[in-house]
Amino acid sequence: MRILFATDGSVAADRARDLLQRIDLPADSYIRVAGVRRHSPNPFPASRSLAPGDASTFAGSVARVTATAVAPPPIVDHLGIMLDTTVATLEAAERRVERVVLDGHPGPAIVDEARDMTADLVIVGSRGHGTIESMLLGSVSRHVASHAPCSVLVARSQHLRSVLLASDGSEDARRAERAIVTWPMFAHATVRVVSVAQTGVPMAIGGVPGLYDQVIEQYEEDVDKARLDASSEAEAAAQRLTDAGRPATWDERDGDPAGEIVRAAAAASSDLIVTGTQGRTGLPRLLLGSVAANVAGHATASVLIVRGPQG
């Protein structure tokens, strides 16, 4: 497995690093640790201009003090030191770890690097600074999750003991299911499958006697079918996982898919939510569907967005 781990040395990135250090990977895995250097047009502050009244004072100072050349402070490569430390932390007997310094805006630079190295997985942290902000993806994580050409793990914790798989029967959901079966990191995790029946109360219709009753009757039939489909999908996915050696339980919920997935993960104290990029419908695979985006943006657990090979 080829993994790109993007770090900026923040607390969020350190949590992601610790998770990467703990999870099981294939023996021949390769990890590339990436940091992004943003170049400033002028790293030193501009000199203050002298006001007219300062000239005599400045001249007197020069007369009293012997001029000496002041050497600029040594340039410390903080980014390089941080990357070297991260590499040393992640190195293990069966892992090959290297580092790379990228230039430019972090989001696009990380996506480009993932494409250039044909990464299987990108791992990023989720930075937050308060009660509200901690529930939202930072701009870099959001860009990477939306545009990376491979699977993306947005890490919020240091563990992967309990996994929630969001399944709707789509090909993307099946791909996420196969990742749980085939990736060694899931070998010792407990797995729960959740499928959500999308339900919504129809708007009132006036002016046509009896029409609203017909709408309600059809709505109730559609809800019953949606619940049955969600229940059948969750149970079937859990059975497939169990048959493949990943014992799983299942749950069916009603309502908004993203909200219910997030709530289900919180109720189960899940460390990780695994989801596909799209559901049964959606935009091209390089962009996140609304459900995956909302789950990644609002879950308190880590989120793995599984993408297949890009065409």
Side-chain angles (χ1 to χ4, degrees):
M1 177 176 282
R2 298 175 63 81
I3 297 172
L4 177 63
F5 171 51
T7 179
D8 59 1
S10 64
V11 173
D14 286 348
R15 282 196 298 267
R17 177 205 62 201
D18 293 343
L19 176 61
L20 176 56
Q21 183 183 19
R22 287 182 170 92
I23 60 178
D24 292 329
L25 298 173
D28 60 347
S29 292
Y30 164 67
I31 301 171
R32 183 174 295 178
V33 179
V36 181
R37 193 189 307 278
R38 297 198 198 198
H39 292 291
S40 170
N42 183 6
F44 300 101
S47 300
R48 182 176 68 87
S49 299
L50 293 175
D54 293 337
S56 60
T57 302
F58 178 73
S61 299
V62 172
R64 289 191 302 270
V65 179
T66 301
T68 59
V70 179
I75 297 175
V76 180
D77 184 9
H78 295 288
L79 177 60
I81 294 172
M82 182 268 293
L83 292 177
D84 287 339
T85 302
T86 302
V87 168
T89 301
L90 294 175
E91 279 180 331
E94 301 296 332
R95 294 184 182 180
R96 199 160 49 94
V97 187
E98 297 176 352
R99 75 171 176 90
V100 63
V101 175
L102 308 177
D103 292 306
H105 190 279
I110 293 166
V111 170
D112 289 344
E113 183 67 16
R115 184 176 295 109
D116 291 344
M117 68 172 283
T118 60
D120 301 302
L121 177 66
V122 177
I123 300 179
V124 294
S126 177
R127 178 176 293 184
H129 301 284
T131 303
I132 301 298
E133 288 82 1
S134 64
M135 298 288 287
L136 301 175
L137 278 181
S139 60
V140 174
S141 300
R142 183 170 58 249
H143 184 93
V144 173
S146 295
H147 298 281
C150 58
S151 299
V152 176
L153 172 57
V154 180
R156 290 187 170 97
S157 72
Q158 300 174 349
H159 303 283
L160 202 167
R161 298 164 297 199
S162 175
V163 174
L164 184 83
L165 169 65
S167 182
D168 64 357
S170 65
E171 177 53 36
D172 273 6
R174 289 294 187 91
R175 186 177 292 111
E177 183 183 316
R178 289 193 291 271
I180 292 178
V181 171
T182 59
W183 291 13
M185 67 179 70
F186 298 112
H188 305 292
T190 60
V191 182
R192 187 167 181 81
V193 180
V194 64
S195 189
V196 181
Q198 298 188 51
T199 58
V201 179
M203 297 177 60
I205 300 176
V208 182
L211 181 57
Y212 185 66
D213 291 339
Q214 295 177 33
V215 170
I216 290 297
E217 182 179 354
Q218 183 62 51
Y219 163 74
E220 291 174 345
E221 292 178 3
D222 291 343
V223 167
D224 289 341
K225 183 178 185 305
R227 286 172 175 160
L228 179 60
D229 289 346
S231 177
S232 298
E233 171 53 34
E235 184 177 13
Q239 187 61 54
R240 288 191 297 269
L241 287 166
T242 300
D243 292 343
R246 299 282 195 265
T249 58
W250 63 274
D251 183 22
E252 176 266 316
R253 288 176 169 246
D254 298 354
D256 170 66
E260 290 304 319
I261 291 167
V262 170
R263 280 186 280 274
S269 299
S270 300
D271 296 314
L272 176 71
I273 299 172
V274 180
T275 180
T277 311
Q278 297 292 336
R280 295 181 182 275
T281 61
L283 296 172
R285 213 166 54 211
L286 280 176
L287 298 178
L288 277 184
S290 59
V291 173
N294 287 333
V295 169
H298 294 87
T300 55
S302 300
V303 178
L304 172 63
I305 301 161
V306 179
R307 284 187 174 94
Q310 302 299 308

